[in-house]
Each structure stands twice: as C-alpha cells, then as structure tokens.
Amino acid sequence: MKIKLYWKLTFVFCFVVVLAITSGYLYLVPRLKSYVENNLANNIKRQLFLSKDFLESSQKDMPGQTDLQSAAGKIGSILGLRVTIISPDGKVLGDSELTREGLLAVENHSDRPEVKDALSRGLGMSKRFSSTVKKEMLYMAVPLNSGMSRGVLRFSESLQDIDLLEAKINKVVGLGVIGILLFGLGLTAFVSVFVSRPLAEMSLVARGMARGDFSRKAYSHSRDEIGDLAQALNAMSEEIKDKIGNLNSESAKLDLVLSSMFEGVIVTDADEKIILMNPSLRKIFLIDTDPQGKKPLEVIRNTAVDDMVEKIIQGKQQLTTEEIVISIPEEKILKVNGVPIMSNNRLEGAILVFHDITELRRLERVRQDFVANVSHELRTPISSIKGYAETLLEGALKDKVNAREFVDIIYQDANRLAALINDLLDLSKIESGKLKMSFTVLDPGVLIKKGLTVIENQAKAKSITLKTDIPLDLPEIQADETRFSQVMINLLDNAIKYSSEGAQVIISAKVADSYLQIDISDTGMGISEDDLPRIFERFYRVDKARSRELGGTGLGLSIVKHIVSAHGGQVWVKSELGRGSTFSFTIPLA
C-alpha cells in the first residue's frame, strides 16, 4: 500500500515526540519513585530512633505488656504509623493497629527479615506485602536495649501513596502524550501537506511522462530546491518529448522497411543475443514468442545460424554466406548473408539476412529433371521411328510382311509421342492455372460407373476382376466432370497395368467429414517405402523398364495430384511391396 509523503512526515514527527516523552518517562519515573521511597524511609528512620530513645529513657521500669500495648498505640496515633513492639524471641508484645485480644492470634515474628537485621546489625528494613493489612508495606526496626523494653521496635508504613503517585504520573504522562500527538498531528499534517503538495504534483507529471503524456507541467512558486526541481522537470519533459519524437520517427521507418521485406532479418548484440527479428523471419521459423535477449540457437534451433553469428562476433569472418536447410515447419533452403555491425571501430553485434531460395532450387531441379526426362522420353520413340523409317527406305518396303510390322511400330511410337506431348500440355496448363474447369454438382456413383466402363475391356484382357463397394446414398460432389473422370481412369489404368493376370481391383467410396473419399486398391507388385515419397513426381517410375514396356509416360500420377489439388482435395497412397497398393483421393461435397 502506498503511503503519502505528508503522512510519512507526520508519522515521523509523532514518533519522535512519543519516543522523547517515553524516554523521559522511563528515565524520570523510576528515579522519582526511588527518591520518594528513600525520603519516606529516611523520615521513618528518624522517627524510629526518636521513638526508641523516648521509650528507653521514659520506660526504665516497664511494668508489662499492657504498657507496651499502650505505648505502641500512643506512638502510632501521634506519628500516623503502625507501631509494633516485638520480644527478642519473636512474640508480638504490642501493635498500634491490633486490640489486646488480637495480639494473642498474631504469629511469631522472629523470621521477619527486618527483625533479624535489627537484632543482628542494629537496624532492619524490608518491603513486602502484608497479609495482615493486605497492603504493600515498608518495614523498619531497631532493637530496644534498656529495662523491660528489651526487644525490637518496628515501624511500618503503607506504600500505597507511592503507587498512587506513580499512577498519577502515568496518567499525566499519558494525557500529555495524547495531547501532544493530537496537536502534532494537526500541525505536522498542515506543514506536510504544504511541503509535499508541489512534490505530489511533480510526481503526477513524472508518471504522465512515463506514459508518454508531456502536456502537463510542474508549477512551484517557491525559490528553493523544490522550485529548481520543477523547472528541471519541465525542461527534461520537453527534451524527452523531442527525443522520443525523433526516435519514433526513425523507428517507424525502420519497422516499415523490415516489415515490408520478404527476406528474414536478425540482429544480435556483441554478446550474441537477439535484439531484433523481423516478421518475415518469425514466419519462416514459426516463432510466436519474444526472441529478444535470447541466443539464436534458443529461438531458431539451427546450429549453422548460431555458428555464423559466433564467427562474425569473434571476428573470424567479415562477410559470410551459407546455405542452410530447415525441415520444420517444412523443408526450405535458405541463403544466409551475415556481416558485423561496427561503430567507431568497435564491434556492436551482427546482422544476418535470410533469403528463401527454396523455390529457386526446386525450379532448377525441376528444369534439370524435366530436360533430362523429356529428352530421354522423346529420344526413345524418335530413335525407334527413325530407325524403322530408315529400314523401310533402304528397301524393307518391298517386304510386305516386315514392312507392315515396321509401320505398326512407327505408329505405336508416334501415339506414344502424342500421349506424352498431350500429358505435358495438360500438366503445363494445370500448373500455370490456364486449364479451365467447370465445377458443377455431380453424382459420384454415376461417374465411377462411367470410369469402370472405359477401363472394363482392359481389365478383361488381363482377366482382372473389378469389384465395387459404393453406397447407394452417396452425396453429390462439386467437381469438373471431365477432369474427375481423368483422375479415375488414370488410377484405374495404373491399377490394372501393375497387377498380374487374374488379380482384382477394388473401388470403394465413403464420406469423410465434408469430403468424398474414393479408394482404388489392387493386389499388384506394390511400391517400396523409398519410392512412396516421390510417387507423384513427374516422370518418376518405380520400375522404369516395365513402365516403358506398358506404355506409361510417367506423368499420370503428377496430373492426378494437380487435378485433385485444383478441386481442393488431397491424394495419397498406401502400399506394401509385393502385396499391392491403395490410391486414395478426396473431393469436396456439394
């Protein structure tokens, strides 16, 4: 809980006052009480010796106890004290506050400390609570040594007056403390408020400055340190306002530049800790926490980046460039350029710029693979056509049996070239987005039956059984009829091609969330785990020799993947080598 300054001043003042009064009280009251007790003891002592002399001189021949009782009563009434006369063996012979009958019931006083001291040292004194009169008493005794008064003369006085005096002192001191506190509270509160008000106003101004509000000013009409502080605070407010304005302007420009950059940027200090990271780099590495103050390895989890920063900071390299590969959240290739940050020939940190060259490298690889694959795919049929054409021209035309066979081979290879070119054109249109599709509401059951009709003769030629598991109440889909049929025929064609004679192919369909899932399973040769990740790449073949033998172009599954993706669905495969494969794809429901 926050305590105001004027309350602190008030509490300090009151604490000092209370401490001073309490200290004075604790010092003076015991001494005053001791002084009163000593004064009382001295008075009793003088009266005791006077009474002793009086008794010894006037009672040379003491007749008996009755006279002692009378003497004790008379002395007690004159002095206002309790007077007791005790025999040397401790028996009470007279007491000013007891009757003669009461003396008989009084216990022996030989064990009283003042009686013992009086008999042994000539004077005894003791303070204790009296069970007889129920009061705190001061006792003083002297011995009687002449005539029949031989024994002990004892005076006793109640200390109640001293206790009453102490109580009055406590009351006066308590009332004084309360009065001084009340007066001090009022006076100190007034003075404290007067003194602390300018400071409170300056505190509000300072808090406003901390929040970015520089409109309020501190005012103080006093020509002292507080006034100087107010002026200094106002001057500082203006200066900070100007500085912050300039910094915000520069920061806004820097943020705009960094935010608009496609390249990722990371800046570290001389201790290799991150001080800046732009949104592009956060997006690349999926960083959703504040990276400031952390080392690159803690945030990016890539040792190559951490090594680059270390090399730059330690001065091993002024300019470093590396290509790094990341696999999370997806595989990417990044080109990283790093340089040191120098200021007045002093190393302040390092800056690294990340260029995403994944697509560039992919396109380079695709181009290389495409050129190599197309060249290979074109070379084979062209060489065949050229070879058989040359044979015919050299005279084989006259051999009607072989000539027809050669022309038939030329015709098949020409069809193979035409299929390859058509597939290449289709794939190019799909990838470039130029292939137009007409999405309509279709009955998937009807489309599947049409696809089976097209492929039925091919299946019969290999004695392959086509089985279906298609529910009658399949919901309608949103698709392009021609392209959907192309996907079905491609997958069914592959299933039949790569299945042995007498095998079976199963076509099933079911609803999965908001999609229709179609599965085409065969009992063919299957696909190895090493080939599965690349099965949908263009020109990729699991068994290249058999694929060419069967007349495939190597583009069918790549076309299937692009058509399904254009519909908003997915395609995948599950396979076990030697036991067959299941190709699945999804199409959105209407």
Side-chain angles (χ1 to χ4, degrees), residues 397-451:
L397 283 172
K398 296 178 181 179
D399 186 354
K400 293 184 179 182
V401 177
N402 289 326
R404 182 172 180 83
E405 182 182 353
F406 292 166
V407 171
D408 189 43
I409 293 173
I410 291 173
Y411 178 74
Q412 291 177 7
D413 284 340
N415 285 337
R416 183 176 171 186
L417 281 175
L420 176 62
I421 292 171
N422 288 333
D423 283 348
L424 285 172
L425 290 174
D426 285 345
L427 188 60
S428 176
K429 289 178 182 179
I430 294 172
E431 288 183 338
S432 63
K434 293 180 180 180
L435 183 66
K436 294 182 179 180
M437 294 188 185
S438 177
F439 293 96
T440 57
V441 178
L442 303 172
D443 184 347
V446 174
L447 296 178
I448 293 172
K449 288 180 181 179
K450 287 183 179 179

Side-chain angles (χ1 to χ4, degrees), residues 21-209:
I21 295 175
T22 304
S23 300
Y25 168 77
L26 295 176
Y27 178 79
L28 293 175
V29 168
R31 284 161 178 75
L32 180 61
K33 184 177 180 182
S34 176
Y35 171 77
V36 173
E37 288 181 354
N38 291 334
N39 192 39
L40 177 63
N42 290 331
N43 289 334
I44 294 175
K45 182 178 179 181
R46 286 194 298 269
Q47 293 172 354
L48 182 62
F49 278 100
L50 288 173
S51 299
K52 172 181 179 298
D53 293 339
F54 171 75
L55 282 175
E56 289 178 348
S57 61
S58 61
Q59 297 291 330
K60 298 263 188 203
D61 299 318
M62 185 177 293
Q65 290 184 359
T66 303
D67 293 334
L68 291 176
Q69 176 66 15
S70 299
K74 184 180 293 185
I75 294 171
S77 63
I78 293 172
L79 298 178
L81 300 171
R82 182 180 180 183
V83 179
T84 306
I85 300 174
I86 306 166
S87 66
D89 59 358
K91 182 179 181 180
V92 177
L93 302 177
D95 194 304
S96 62
E97 293 189 4
L98 296 176
T99 61
R100 297 182 187 276
E101 293 77 9
L103 290 175
L104 300 175
V106 175
E107 61 185 2
N108 191 283
H109 281 35
S110 62
D111 61 343
R112 300 296 192 266
E114 66 275 7
V115 174
K116 291 181 179 180
D117 290 342
L119 293 174
S120 62
R121 294 186 294 181
L123 178 64
M125 186 172 66
S126 174
K127 285 192 296 183
R128 66 177 182 276
F129 182 79
S130 174
S131 58
T132 305
V133 297
K134 309 300 182 184
K135 293 180 182 179
E136 189 75 20
M137 303 292 289
L138 173 64
Y139 297 95
M140 190 173 291
V142 292
L144 295 173
N145 298 318
S146 62
M148 296 190 65
S149 295
R150 185 171 179 79
V152 176
L153 174 64
R154 186 183 73 175
F155 284 3
S156 57
E157 174 66 36
S158 172
L159 296 176
Q160 186 175 9
D161 292 340
I162 297 176
D163 294 335
L164 291 175
L165 176 63
E166 184 179 9
K168 287 182 179 179
I169 293 173
N170 291 338
K171 183 176 181 181
V172 171
V173 171
L175 292 174
V177 169
I178 294 173
I180 292 173
L181 280 177
L182 293 175
F183 176 76
L185 280 172
L187 178 62
T188 310
F190 174 76
V191 174
S192 299
V193 169
F194 179 77
V195 172
S196 63
R197 182 179 296 168
L199 296 176
E201 292 179 356
M202 282 185 265
S203 176
L204 292 175
V205 172
R207 282 199 293 270
M209 290 168 58

